[in-house]
Amino acid sequence: MKVTSAVVLLVAVFWSQEWKSVLSDSIIHIGAIFDESARQDDEVFRLAVADLNLNNDILQTEKITVSVEFVDGNNPFQAVQEACELMNRGILALVSSIGCMSAGSLQSLSDAMHIPHLFIQRSPAGSPRSACPPTGRVPGTDDYTLMVRPPVYLNEVIMQVVSEYSWQKFILFYDSNFDIRGIEDFLDRTSQQGMDVSLQKVESNINMMITSLFRTMRVDELHRYRDTLRRAVLFMSPATAKAFITEVVETNLVAFDCHWILINEEISDYDLQELVMKSIGRLTVIRQMFPVPQNATQRCVKHNHRINTSLCDPKNPRSHQLEISNRYIYDSVLLLANTFHRKLEDRKWHSMASLSCIRKTSKPWQGGKSMLDTVKKFGVSGLTSFLEFNDNGSNPNIFFEILGTNYGEERGRGVSRLAMWDPVHGLNGTLTDRKLENNMRGVVLRVVTVLEEPFVMVSENVLGKPKKYQGFSIDVLDALSNYLGFKYEIYVAPDHKYGSMQPDGQWNGLMGELVFKRADVGLSALTITPERESVVDFTTRYMDYSVGVLLRKAERTVDMFACLAPFDLSLWACIAGTVLLIGILVYLLNWLNPPRLPMGSVSSTTLYNSMWFVYGSFVQQGGEVPYTTLATRMMMGFWWMFALIVISSYTANLAAFLTITRIENSIQSLQDLSKQTDLPYGTVLDSAVYDQVRSKSMNPFERDPMYSQMWRMINRTGGGDNNVEESKEGIRKVKYGRFGFVWDAAVLEYVANNDEDCSFYTVKSSAPDRGYGIAMQHGSPYRDIFSQRILELQQNGDMDILKLKWWPKDSPCDLYSSVQTRQHSNALDIQSFAGVFCVLAAGVVLSCLIAMVESWWSRRKGSRVPSKETQADGPSVRQAADQCPHSPNERPLARGGQAQNQAPNTANTNAPTATHYQPPACCDIPCALIVQHSYEPANPSELTPKMRMTTFTTAPPTPRLYIQ
């Protein structure tokens, strides 16, 4: 087929050259002016002439000769000069395929010379056409220029498509060759309807343009720009559109949920396939189309002419590479040939005349008007379906087809025709910009994660079976899966890291899996940061994030004498001294003025008893020694008041001391942590927390003195000393050493809550400045529906229920206390009263020792007392009586009125003498020791009750004396 086409082309070229010499008598001569870049227009033009010269049904014996000139499309003077040269050669019609700038000059020339001019508008470099500006024609003159290509309807088409899609905000890109004046009407109409339309010119060096965007825009501006790119209209050539789409896709400026509209009449099937392969998201293409007969045999046969199969046969590759201008050029030659045929049949032929554009006296062609009317009167069927002209000299037949793809991640997906448009009927079809629906059934997502308690944890790891995971983030993913209907496969990032940008510009860890398209979703304790959001997309936050620090609670030292803590040691010494002083004063007051004691009282006012009485009253146990003097009672009254105040203060202070835990650790906030240097602290190297502290300490726009001090500690010796590789390592350093671990507050609270010893407490920043989100590939179509569902979970309270599962309010550990206590253990333990029991035990041991000493002393003293046979007891009694102070009336009395030393009655020599001794009240019991001898009276009945007496002694059981 290619050989045949080449042969035909060579024949056409050969004939055209021969006609100038051999067929110089031919009456049909057509001139053509093409743009220098339109070499294919010249080929099709000559091929059309060759086809018609072979068709005897149209021109019969006449043949068409042609003259072709190439000009610079931006040089109107050259175009006019070449056209004058063609008119000098005697052309009957002029066919041009150039731009609007040169076409205006040719239009004026053809009007002046009355030469029919079939103008085929050609846009530079394949860019979309813009309507040519009107020329200054003299009123009342005929327009000899016929617009072969229909008027530009791009404004009307794109306006209706955008309205059908209900777009209210989008950006319009145009290349450097497009005349922006061509869409002024469209911009005015969008402004009237309240649409927000941005304009941006696409430079020829697209890579440099994209690079400058990243270099000049801040992160937040880049995010807003990326959101704007989700809806875009492209007015550019297919080549520029392919390069631009490729660049923005590779730089992650567009997402899978974007929707772009490319509008250009000059889009071939080959261009369409490449555009779909390079684009992501949804692509809508608007291009001009030409109705094709359903019957394949009728595609190349048009009335009385058969078109070259290389141009009309779909099986021929060349037919798919035809430009629209090529089609109109072929049909223009076919139309002129049919016009010449009718003129020859009507015998209204006007011979060619050599016209001169330079001479002012030259007249226009006399047959121009008749030829123009014949061209406008009839039409022709050809490669453009049907070519005809209306009264104003324009072609009304134009059709647009609207092609599009659906939202999706796969490139190279199918293209379908969505609607048709023509100037008469408008849009024929329904356009809806439907996003991904909530139904994701059948979708299997590949999820990458990093193990981090309590967000993601391994719940079951059976050999040979997939691991099962649990955690707060897993619960959120399951809630989304149950609602949306998708399934997922989860795996852990190969390096077990969240990921950061490496020196070579590549990302590692979880982020790298998403950037390199190995995973669809990233899930863990992943915070939303500007650096991460520049390469991936995040859903809305599902939990707030704040920086915290994990610290070990201070060890509670066992104080056995905690009961003494309410009073200072000096105060205890003063109280003890006061007891001794008051005891001595009481003894002295009673010694100076002895009280009168009742009969039979065994109490005495010795120093020992005074001390015992003062101590007993101090501890509110009373005393045994009665004090009757006014001075002593005054003294004891004030002493009791003093004791009441001291005991009450001690009781209140002891209760407060045992129930209120004193704060032993001074770090209660991040400010406290940053101000001290005794306790080292750090975080995970190259983590989000690490970057946040570094940014807030070094960035001049958000510098924080607190973070600056923290950064000096964290970055000590380059960050190697105080930082760890994983969060678990940092938690171990806190538990078994002196270290503070700076990390996500939510993770630290979970660790502190679930510690068996409740040995941790946390301190966190007061205001959260970011949140946890689900990461996805940049441009993922699932971001919006995931975010919408997360918002629903938050609004109906399901998200709070999931949080309480992992962060319960009734935790047994106190997260914010710096000492080891439990929130619900207010009862006093044995450690608080160990000292009291020690004191009691010491008193018991001391009492036992004293009892043993007293027992030994009593036995030793009892061994010195005379037996019954000795007669030394009487003097001992009297000696004891003499030693005791007494009044005269308290002397010992002898029975029968006899004196104590009187000799016994001789009549009763065998009867022992009984001595009765009354000790004075002032004598102490040990001083009034009385030893009585007992005997067996001859006549016991003689013993009267008055003569019976029982005496007491501190010695072992005292013998009883019966006197008869």
Side-chain angles (χ1 to χ4, degrees), residues 130-419:
S130 296
C132 294
T135 57
R137 182 181 298 108
V138 178
T141 60
D142 294 325
D143 187 2
Y144 281 82
T145 299
L146 303 177
M147 302 295 180
V148 178
R149 292 192 69 171
V152 180
Y153 289 103
L154 298 183
N155 287 338
E156 290 77 2
V157 178
I158 191 63
M159 188 66 203
Q160 192 160 0
V161 171
V162 170
S163 301
E164 287 290 322
Y165 282 146
S166 301
W167 285 11
Q168 293 297 321
K169 182 179 180 180
F170 57 91
I171 186 171
L172 191 150
F173 291 100
Y174 62 96
D175 57 20
S176 56
N177 295 315
F178 178 71
D179 188 358
I180 192 64
R181 293 174 297 179
I183 56 174
E184 288 181 354
D185 181 65
F186 170 70
L187 296 177
D188 292 340
R189 294 173 62 182
T190 56
S191 177
Q192 293 173 3
Q193 296 187 15
M195 297 181 182
D196 184 3
V197 182
S198 303
L199 290 176
Q200 184 171 355
K201 182 179 180 180
V202 178
E203 303 294 340
S204 57
N205 193 337
I206 300 175
N207 182 270
M208 183 179 294
M209 184 192 76
I210 300 298
T211 303
S212 64
L213 290 177
F214 283 97
R215 186 174 61 250
T216 57
M217 287 186 175
R218 298 195 304 270
V219 176
D220 55 342
E221 294 176 344
L222 197 60
H223 293 337
R224 290 194 296 268
Y225 181 72
R226 184 181 290 111
D227 291 336
T228 305
L229 292 182
R230 297 183 185 278
R231 300 290 179 268
V233 176
L234 308 182
F235 276 85
M236 57 184 65
S237 65
T240 305
K242 287 184 284 187
F244 181 68
I245 291 175
T246 301
E247 192 69 28
V248 295
V249 168
E250 291 180 353
T251 54
N252 290 325
L253 280 177
V254 292
F256 284 114
D257 60 345
C258 71
H259 186 181
W260 282 17
I261 300 175
L262 174 62
I263 181 168
N264 193 330
E265 297 168 328
E266 296 274 359
I267 300 178
S268 64
D269 293 340
Y270 177 75
D271 293 331
L272 180 62
Q273 292 177 2
E274 283 195 336
L275 287 168
V276 173
M277 288 292 296
K278 295 178 180 298
S279 65
I280 59 175
R282 185 176 183 183
L283 179 65
T284 298
V285 177
I286 303 175
R287 68 175 182 177
Q288 185 179 351
M289 57 88 61
F290 304 97
V292 179
Q294 297 294 332
N295 190 351
T297 59
Q298 298 178 358
R299 295 178 180 177
C300 295
V301 178
K302 302 294 183 180
H303 191 52
N304 58 349
H305 177 69
R306 183 178 183 87
I307 303 174
N308 194 299
T309 56
S310 64
L311 305 178
C312 60
D313 189 359
K315 297 180 180 180
N316 195 310
R318 185 179 181 183
S319 64
H320 298 284
Q321 298 177 1
L322 288 177
E323 298 178 359
I324 292 181
S325 60
N326 302 153
R327 294 174 178 270
Y328 281 112
I329 285 176
Y330 191 97
D331 289 356
S332 297
V333 176
L334 182 59
L335 177 62
L336 289 175
N338 282 275
T339 302
F340 297 151
H341 172 71
R342 290 185 176 88
K343 296 292 291 183
L344 290 173
E345 286 184 344
D346 295 343
R347 299 186 181 272
K348 295 180 180 180
W349 187 263
H350 295 275
S351 61
M352 294 182 294
S354 178
L355 302 176
S356 177
C357 303
I358 300 176
R359 290 179 300 178
K360 295 182 179 180
T361 58
S362 61
K363 296 180 180 181
W365 182 36
Q366 297 298 325
K369 177 62 175 175
S370 176
M371 186 69 70
L372 177 65
D373 293 339
T374 305
V375 172
K376 296 171 61 175
K377 185 177 181 181
F378 299 97
V380 65
S381 296
L383 294 177
T384 61
S385 183
F386 191 76
L387 176 60
E388 62 179 348
F389 299 98
N390 52 25
D391 295 337
N392 59 4
S394 62
N395 181 8
N397 299 321
I398 187 171
F399 301 91
F400 288 93
E401 65 175 347
I402 303 170
L403 308 173
T405 63
N406 294 324
Y407 286 104
E409 302 180 14
E410 301 83 8
R411 299 186 182 183
R413 52 204 176 280
V415 181
S416 60
R417 179 180 291 177
L418 305 178

Side-chain angles (χ1 to χ4, degrees), residues 29-34 45 67-69 79-80 82-84 86-87 91-98 106-107 109-110 115-120 144-146 148 332 336 340:
H29 190 195
I30 302 175
I33 296 179
F34 298 137
F45 178 75
S67 297
V68 179
E69 300 294 339
V80 171
E82 296 296 340
C84 288
L86 292 175
M87 292 179 184
I91 60 175
L92 298 178
L94 177 64
V95 178
S96 66
S97 176
I98 54 178
L106 293 180
Q107 182 178 357
L109 180 62
S110 61
I115 299 296
H117 175 208
L118 277 66
F119 168 57
I120 302 165
Y144 281 82
T145 299
L146 303 177
V148 178
S332 297
L336 289 175
F340 297 151

Side-chain angles (χ1 to χ4, degrees), residues 16-36:
S16 65
Q17 296 296 329
E18 291 295 326
W19 290 336
K20 293 183 180 179
S21 57
V22 178
L23 300 178
S24 57
D25 57 345
S26 175
I27 61 174
I28 303 175
H29 190 195
I30 302 175
I33 296 179
F34 298 137
D35 192 275
E36 292 177 341

Side-chain angles (χ1 to χ4, degrees), residues 551-570:
L551 300 169
R552 183 175 177 83
K553 293 182 178 180
E555 296 287 343
R556 290 192 61 191
T557 57
V558 178
D559 187 4
M560 297 180 60
F561 297 96
C563 57
L564 302 179
F567 289 169
D568 189 54
L569 182 61
S570 60

Side-chain angles (χ1 to χ4, degrees), residues 441-460:
R441 300 190 184 279
V443 177
V444 180
L445 300 178
R446 186 165 172 80
V447 181
V448 60
T449 187
V450 174
L451 298 181
E452 186 76 76
E453 296 180 350
F455 290 87
V456 179
M457 301 175 290
V458 177
S459 62
E460 183 178 338

